[in-house]
PDB file of all heavy atoms in Angstrom:
ATOM      1  N   GLU C  12     160.999-173.761 154.799  1.00  0.00           N
ATOM      2  CA  GLU C  12     160.312-172.540 154.373  1.00  0.00           C
ATOM      3  C   GLU C  12     159.614-171.877 155.558  1.00  0.00           C
ATOM      4  O   GLU C  12     159.662-170.663 155.727  1.00  0.00           O
ATOM      5  CB  GLU C  12     159.295-172.852 153.269  1.00  0.00           C
ATOM      6  CG  GLU C  12     159.905-173.208 151.931  1.00  0.00           C
ATOM      7  CD  GLU C  12     160.558-172.015 151.239  1.00  0.00           C
ATOM      8  OE1 GLU C  12     160.375-170.882 151.721  1.00  0.00           O
ATOM      9  OE2 GLU C  12     161.251-172.226 150.239  1.00  0.00           O
ATOM     10  N   ARG C  13     158.957-172.688 156.363  1.00  0.00           N
ATOM     11  CA  ARG C  13     158.277-172.146 157.548  1.00  0.00           C
ATOM     12  C   ARG C  13     159.279-171.521 158.503  1.00  0.00           C
ATOM     13  O   ARG C  13     159.044-170.444 159.060  1.00  0.00           O
ATOM     14  CB  ARG C  13     157.509-173.265 158.264  1.00  0.00           C
ATOM     15  CG  ARG C  13     156.273-173.771 157.546  1.00  0.00           C
ATOM     16  CD  ARG C  13     155.613-174.881 158.345  1.00  0.00           C
ATOM     17  NE  ARG C  13     155.246-174.430 159.670  1.00  0.00           N
ATOM     18  CZ  ARG C  13     155.384-175.148 160.786  1.00  0.00           C
ATOM     19  NH1 ARG C  13     155.899-176.368 160.721  1.00  0.00           N
ATOM     20  NH2 ARG C  13     155.017-174.656 161.953  1.00  0.00           N
ATOM     21  N   LEU C  14     160.400-172.209 158.697  1.00  0.00           N
ATOM     22  CA  LEU C  14     161.434-171.723 159.609  1.00  0.00           C
ATOM     23  C   LEU C  14     162.000-170.394 159.118  1.00  0.00           C
ATOM     24  O   LEU C  14     162.163-169.442 159.900  1.00  0.00           O
ATOM     25  CB  LEU C  14     162.543-172.770 159.728  1.00  0.00           C
ATOM     26  CG  LEU C  14     163.553-172.620 160.868  1.00  0.00           C
ATOM     27  CD1 LEU C  14     162.862-172.719 162.218  1.00  0.00           C
ATOM     28  CD2 LEU C  14     164.632-173.684 160.758  1.00  0.00           C
ATOM     29  N   LEU C  15     162.286-170.308 157.834  1.00  0.00           N
ATOM     30  CA  LEU C  15     162.837-169.080 157.255  1.00  0.00           C
ATOM     31  C   LEU C  15     161.841-167.936 157.335  1.00  0.00           C
ATOM     32  O   LEU C  15     162.190-166.810 157.705  1.00  0.00           O
ATOM     33  CB  LEU C  15     163.235-169.323 155.795  1.00  0.00           C
ATOM     34  CG  LEU C  15     164.401-170.281 155.547  1.00  0.00           C
ATOM     35  CD1 LEU C  15     164.595-170.513 154.056  1.00  0.00           C
ATOM     36  CD2 LEU C  15     165.679-169.746 156.162  1.00  0.00           C
ATOM     37  N   ARG C  16     160.587-168.220 156.995  1.00  0.00           N
ATOM     38  CA  ARG C  16     159.567-167.163 156.993  1.00  0.00           C
ATOM     39  C   ARG C  16     159.311-166.650 158.405  1.00  0.00           C
ATOM     40  O   ARG C  16     159.227-165.441 158.634  1.00  0.00           O
ATOM     41  CB  ARG C  16     158.273-167.699 156.377  1.00  0.00           C
ATOM     42  CG  ARG C  16     157.161-166.656 156.279  1.00  0.00           C
ATOM     43  CD  ARG C  16     155.979-167.172 155.484  1.00  0.00           C
ATOM     44  NE  ARG C  16     155.413-168.387 156.088  1.00  0.00           N
ATOM     45  CZ  ARG C  16     155.523-169.594 155.571  1.00  0.00           C
ATOM     46  NH1 ARG C  16     156.193-169.782 154.437  1.00  0.00           N
ATOM     47  NH2 ARG C  16     154.977-170.641 156.171  1.00  0.00           N
ATOM     48  N   ALA C  17     159.204-167.578 159.358  1.00  0.00           N
ATOM     49  CA  ALA C  17     158.925-167.177 160.734  1.00  0.00           C
ATOM     50  C   ALA C  17     160.092-166.407 161.336  1.00  0.00           C
ATOM     51  O   ALA C  17     159.894-165.449 162.096  1.00  0.00           O
ATOM     52  CB  ALA C  17     158.606-168.404 161.588  1.00  0.00           C
ATOM     53  N   SER C  18     161.313-166.817 161.009  1.00  0.00           N
ATOM     54  CA  SER C  18     162.478-166.103 161.545  1.00  0.00           C
ATOM     55  C   SER C  18     162.547-164.687 160.993  1.00  0.00           C
ATOM     56  O   SER C  18     162.851-163.739 161.716  1.00  0.00           O
ATOM     57  CB  SER C  18     163.772-166.865 161.241  1.00  0.00           C
ATOM     58  OG  SER C  18     164.026-166.932 159.849  1.00  0.00           O
ATOM     59  N   GLN C  19     162.230-164.511 159.712  1.00  0.00           N
ATOM     60  CA  GLN C  19     162.207-163.170 159.111  1.00  0.00           C
ATOM     61  C   GLN C  19     161.104-162.320 159.744  1.00  0.00           C
ATOM     62  O   GLN C  19     161.301-161.140 160.063  1.00  0.00           O
ATOM     63  CB  GLN C  19     161.968-163.279 157.600  1.00  0.00           C
ATOM     64  CG  GLN C  19     161.839-161.932 156.885  1.00  0.00           C
ATOM     65  CD  GLN C  19     163.124-161.143 156.867  1.00  0.00           C
ATOM     66  OE1 GLN C  19     164.095-161.549 156.256  1.00  0.00           O
ATOM     67  NE2 GLN C  19     163.138-159.999 157.546  1.00  0.00           N
ATOM     68  N   ASP C  20     159.939-162.919 159.967  1.00  0.00           N
ATOM     69  CA  ASP C  20     158.824-162.198 160.578  1.00  0.00           C
ATOM     70  C   ASP C  20     159.170-161.748 161.990  1.00  0.00           C
ATOM     71  O   ASP C  20     158.835-160.623 162.403  1.00  0.00           O
ATOM     72  CB  ASP C  20     157.574-163.076 160.615  1.00  0.00           C
ATOM     73  CG  ASP C  20     156.954-163.286 159.240  1.00  0.00           C
ATOM     74  OD1 ASP C  20     157.307-162.540 158.301  1.00  0.00           O
ATOM     75  OD2 ASP C  20     156.112-164.207 159.112  1.00  0.00           O
ATOM     76  N   LEU C  21     159.844-162.623 162.745  1.00  0.00           N
ATOM     77  CA  LEU C  21     160.217-162.277 164.113  1.00  0.00           C
ATOM     78  C   LEU C  21     161.225-161.130 164.128  1.00  0.00           C
ATOM     79  O   LEU C  21     161.115-160.203 164.937  1.00  0.00           O
ATOM     80  CB  LEU C  21     160.805-163.508 164.819  1.00  0.00           C
ATOM     81  CG  LEU C  21     161.139-163.355 166.307  1.00  0.00           C
ATOM     82  CD1 LEU C  21     159.921-162.915 167.105  1.00  0.00           C
ATOM     83  CD2 LEU C  21     161.688-164.679 166.867  1.00  0.00           C
ATOM     84  N   TYR C  22     162.174-161.186 163.216  1.00  0.00           N
ATOM     85  CA  TYR C  22     163.157-160.099 163.107  1.00  0.00           C
ATOM     86  C   TYR C  22     162.457-158.776 162.773  1.00  0.00           C
ATOM     87  O   TYR C  22     162.748-157.727 163.350  1.00  0.00           O
ATOM     88  CB  TYR C  22     164.181-160.436 162.036  1.00  0.00           C
ATOM     89  CG  TYR C  22     165.289-159.415 161.890  1.00  0.00           C
ATOM     90  CD1 TYR C  22     166.439-159.486 162.664  1.00  0.00           C
ATOM     91  CD2 TYR C  22     165.176-158.362 160.981  1.00  0.00           C
ATOM     92  CE1 TYR C  22     167.451-158.552 162.541  1.00  0.00           C
ATOM     93  CE2 TYR C  22     166.180-157.423 160.847  1.00  0.00           C
ATOM     94  CZ  TYR C  22     167.315-157.514 161.628  1.00  0.00           C
ATOM     95  OH  TYR C  22     168.306-156.571 161.493  1.00  0.00           O
ATOM     96  N   ASP C  23     161.520-158.828 161.827  1.00  0.00           N
ATOM     97  CA  ASP C  23     160.792-157.624 161.416  1.00  0.00           C
ATOM     98  C   ASP C  23     160.002-157.028 162.580  1.00  0.00           C
ATOM     99  O   ASP C  23     159.917-155.805 162.723  1.00  0.00           O
ATOM    100  CB  ASP C  23     159.844-157.935 160.260  1.00  0.00           C
ATOM    101  CG  ASP C  23     160.577-158.222 158.952  1.00  0.00           C
ATOM    102  OD1 ASP C  23     161.776-157.892 158.859  1.00  0.00           O
ATOM    103  OD2 ASP C  23     159.953-158.783 158.029  1.00  0.00           O
ATOM    104  N   LEU C  24     159.428-157.888 163.420  1.00  0.00           N
ATOM    105  CA  LEU C  24     158.659-157.398 164.562  1.00  0.00           C
ATOM    106  C   LEU C  24     159.561-156.706 165.580  1.00  0.00           C
ATOM    107  O   LEU C  24     159.204-155.651 166.114  1.00  0.00           O
ATOM    108  CB  LEU C  24     157.906-158.559 165.230  1.00  0.00           C
ATOM    109  CG  LEU C  24     156.702-159.106 164.470  1.00  0.00           C
ATOM    110  CD1 LEU C  24     156.144-160.337 165.185  1.00  0.00           C
ATOM    111  CD2 LEU C  24     155.618-158.051 164.311  1.00  0.00           C
ATOM    112  N   VAL C  25     160.720-157.288 165.851  1.00  0.00           N
ATOM    113  CA  VAL C  25     161.667-156.644 166.779  1.00  0.00           C
ATOM    114  C   VAL C  25     162.051-155.266 166.256  1.00  0.00           C
ATOM    115  O   VAL C  25     162.064-154.279 167.000  1.00  0.00           O
ATOM    116  CB  VAL C  25     162.924-157.523 166.966  1.00  0.00           C
ATOM    117  CG1 VAL C  25     163.995-156.765 167.764  1.00  0.00           C
ATOM    118  CG2 VAL C  25     162.574-158.822 167.680  1.00  0.00           C
ATOM    119  N   CYS C  26     162.332-155.187 164.960  1.00  0.00           N
ATOM    120  CA  CYS C  26     162.710-153.902 164.347  1.00  0.00           C
ATOM    121  C   CYS C  26     161.555-152.905 164.390  1.00  0.00           C
ATOM    122  O   CYS C  26     161.759-151.702 164.620  1.00  0.00           O
ATOM    123  CB  CYS C  26     163.153-154.117 162.901  1.00  0.00           C
ATOM    124  SG  CYS C  26     164.728-154.994 162.731  1.00  0.00           S
TER     125      CYS C  26
END
Side-chain angles (χ1 to χ4, degrees):
E12 289 289 350
R13 289 179 58 221
L14 194 62
L15 293 175
R16 182 172 59 251
S18 65
Q19 176 68 65
D20 288 345
L21 185 56
Y22 183 87
D23 290 344
L24 287 174
V25 172
C26 291

